[in-house]
Amino acid sequence: MRIDLENEDDDDSYPKPVGRWTVFYYGVGHMLNDVTAACWFTYLLLFLTEIGLSPRDAATVMLAGQIADGFATVFAGELIDRFGHFKIWHGAGSILVAISFSSVFGGCLPCKILASCSSLIETVSYSTSAAIFNVGWAATQVSHMSMVNCISLNSSSRVVMTSCRNAFTMVANLSLYAVALVVFSSSKATTHADIENQYRWIAYTSIFIGCCFVGIFHLGTKEPRLKICVHGTSNARISWAYWFKKVLYYQVGLVYMLTRLVQNVSQAYLAFYVMDDLQMAKSAKALVPAIIYMSSFFVSVIMQEMSWTGQRLKAYYSAGGILWVFCGAGILFLPRNMSAFMYVISVFIGIANALMTVTGVSMQSILVGSDLKGCAFVYGSLSFLDKVSCGLAVFALQSFQSTTPKTEETLSTGYISVTRYGLGLLPAACSLAGVAITYTMKLQPPDSKSLMEPLLE
């Protein structure tokens, strides 16, 4: 089988490291998804419960979006493998995200039309908006993640592009929390309409920031034109059964699912934890996440300048997982009168998140290797596990969440809230399981010689 990449002017140059501008343009391409996802996981449950939905109904809205996202990733991956055109899928998905995300935090339109504010109508309305938003999100995600394999066959270059993408994920999150900090500090939400206005401004600003970077991505990134020739036949697509026979496919899938569970579930409960359990100032629900993503950003930048082997990926993932275990234990038992230590814990959570995310996603690139005509299916199917498991986990936790406020008596005793389990125990357990699975992997990049080359030109 002969593989040619036409993304660069010189087809023979693919083993060489990619240029810094190529890395930069690729890295900013997921900013719209990242900033809206940060808003989705950090503030959706908080927003819905603040406007009157029960914890279970709020979790139903998130579950509807996650299930739609999960199935959309599989279908998007299959269609991209069949027809290609990464940038078209990315652009179409971005447009759908920009249009639909505003309605997720934009209030209940059917309630206004029907002049009714029943919880059923609100739940159905927000669930529909969430599902549409996540379909667009999935198309953008799968096209962007799978594109990295067609830009370069150099395994180290794939890692550095993933690291750059993760660094801009941190920029997106920091942008969101900066906006949220300004909104929450400058305006007081005393009525239902005030609450909606706060989150509406956060959503609109997030969309604007993300769209600016999507434009940069499309202007600076060429469409990777992949030619795969097998005995003179082009566009030979790899069947699903090929991946299902690989043990590494299941190992990488479980590690990626556990990594995303760690990040998404902890992000969903972080605002509840600092507000309800630790009773910190309102600005903390933006400041604490900002600290997490600042430390993640710096670690991601450092990881771009490193050379990589399969063993090094495993070692760094394990380090991040073990660090999360200690952070989870601290969150689980941190008393309210020592809430300031949450800022310290946040630094280490950010480091752990960066280590696990960059290496976990890079393992998918090693799984794909040079089998590029099935790469979109791999990313889509593995993302399916991530989306559905996250939605089910949040739904299960919210089902046990009490709607009554905790009293001083319960806070001063050995009471451990569902929020502490969601932010502390579950991520720590998932991290430990991910480390155990990573230990059993046999990661052998297809171009091991190029791994020790400089990452960038």
Side-chain angles (χ1 to χ4, degrees):
M1 182 169 69
R2 179 171 60 84
I3 300 176
D4 297 317
L5 290 175
E6 294 186 349
N7 190 55
E8 300 291 338
D9 295 333
D10 184 2
D11 289 339
D12 294 330
S13 66
Y14 82 85
K16 297 179 181 179
V18 297
R20 290 185 181 273
W21 282 111
T22 300
V23 173
F24 170 78
Y25 288 132
Y26 173 81
V28 302
H30 210 250
M31 281 280 288
L32 177 60
N33 267 25
D34 289 331
V35 72
T36 52
C39 192
W40 168 268
F41 284 109
T42 305
Y43 296 126
L44 180 67
L45 294 178
L46 191 64
F47 165 69
L48 294 175
T49 53
E50 284 186 358
I51 63 173
L53 265 66
S54 67
R56 190 181 183 90
D57 287 341
T60 300
V61 174
M62 178 169 282
L63 179 61
Q66 293 299 112
I67 290 177
D69 194 351
F71 282 103
T73 54
V74 177
F75 287 117
E78 175 64 14
L79 292 173
I80 291 171
D81 279 337
R82 285 180 181 270
F83 304 110
H85 302 294
F86 296 98
K87 289 182 67 177
I88 292 177
W89 284 95
H90 185 281
S94 297
I95 291 171
L96 189 57
V97 167
I99 294 174
S100 60
F101 187 67
S102 59
S103 62
V104 175
F105 290 91
C108 177
L109 182 59
C111 296
K112 297 175 182 177
I113 296 173
L114 300 175
S116 174
C117 292
S118 71
S119 60
L120 177 60
I121 295 176
E122 285 188 312
T123 302
V124 171
S125 174
Y126 286 114
S127 297
T128 303
S129 298
I132 296 172
F133 158 67
N134 278 280
V135 169
W137 203 96
T140 305
Q141 180 202 27
V142 175
S143 60
H144 191 261
M145 290 182 71
S146 55
M147 187 187 298
V148 70
N149 299 288
C150 297
I151 293 176
S152 175
L153 289 178
N154 184 302
S155 293
S156 284
S157 291
R158 290 176 176 181
V159 174
V160 77
M161 284 188 283
T162 300
S163 182
C164 183
R165 176 182 181 272
N166 190 62
F168 277 101
T169 297
M170 308 312 147
V171 173
N173 283 266
L174 287 170
S175 301
L176 169 74
Y177 297 128
V179 172
L181 184 62
V182 172
V183 171
F184 291 137
S185 301
S186 60
S187 62
K188 293 183 179 180
T190 56
T191 65
H192 187 284
D194 292 338
I195 294 173
E196 287 189 349
N197 285 332
Q198 278 188 333
Y199 288 99
R200 188 179 293 118
W201 275 109
I202 294 173
Y204 289 165
T205 308
S206 301
I207 293 170
F208 175 76
I209 293 171
C211 286
C212 290
F213 284 95
V214 167
I216 295 173
F217 165 78
H218 279 273
L219 289 173
T221 303
K222 297 179 181 180
E223 175 70 36
R225 292 172 294 174
L226 172 66
K227 290 182 178 179
I228 299 183
C229 301
V230 183
H231 303 299
T233 303
S234 62
N235 296 323
R237 191 173 62 86
I238 297 173
S239 67
W240 295 9
Y242 172 80
W243 301 109
F244 294 153
K245 293 176 183 178
K246 285 178 170 280
V247 175
L248 188 61
Y249 173 83
Y250 299 99
Q251 292 173 317
V252 171
L254 286 173
V255 167
Y256 181 71
M257 180 191 73
L258 292 167
T259 302
R260 300 305 298 173
L261 271 173
V262 169
Q263 292 192 333
N264 293 340
V265 175
S266 63
Q267 192 172 16
Y269 283 97
L270 185 60
F272 286 104
Y273 179 70
V274 299
M275 295 300 296
D276 297 340
D277 289 75
L278 299 183
Q279 295 192 357
M280 300 173 72
K282 286 190 176 182
S283 59
K285 62 183 178 182
L287 188 57
V288 171
I291 294 173
I292 291 176
Y293 287 101
M294 284 179 65
S295 58
S296 288
F297 173 78
F298 289 120
V299 173
S300 296
V301 170
I302 293 171
M303 293 176 76
Q304 291 184 45
E305 302 300 329
M306 300 176 64
S307 57
W308 292 93
T309 64
Q311 290 299 317
R312 185 166 290 179
L313 285 176
K314 292 169 63 174
Y316 276 71
Y317 182 91
S318 299
I322 293 171
L323 187 57
W324 235 117
V325 171
F326 287 106
C327 292
I331 290 169
L332 194 62
F333 300 110
L334 183 66
R336 202 182 77 187
N337 59 3
M338 298 178 65
S339 60
F341 279 95
M342 188 59 201
Y343 293 112
V344 179
I345 295 175
S346 299
V347 174
F348 291 102
I349 290 177
I351 295 171
N353 282 347
L355 293 173
M356 294 176 70
T357 300
V358 172
T359 55
V361 174
S362 297
M363 290 174 190
Q364 297 183 42
S365 293
I366 291 181
L367 169 63
V368 170
S370 58
D371 300 321
L372 304 183
K373 288 304 291 183
C375 61
F377 168 74
V378 171
Y379 286 101
S381 59
L382 298 188
S383 293
F384 172 82
L385 298 174
D386 146 41
K387 312 301 181 185
V388 175
S389 62
C390 179
L392 291 174
V394 172
F395 183 82
L397 288 167
Q398 287 294 98
S399 297
F400 294 101
Q401 186 77 286
S402 174
T403 57
T404 58
K406 294 176 281 293
T407 63
E408 291 290 334
E409 182 180 354
T410 57
L411 287 170
S412 61
T413 60
Y415 174 80
I416 298 179
S417 67
V418 172
T419 302
R420 286 182 183 264
Y421 285 118
L423 182 60
L425 182 61
L426 181 61
C430 290
S431 299
L432 194 59
V435 171
I437 296 171
T438 301
Y439 180 77
T440 66
M441 285 183 179
K442 294 181 179 180
L443 295 176
Q444 184 60 43
D447 55 330
S448 56
K449 182 179 179 180
S450 67
L451 279 174
M452 300 311 294
E453 297 175 355
L455 288 177
L456 299 172
E457 292 180 334

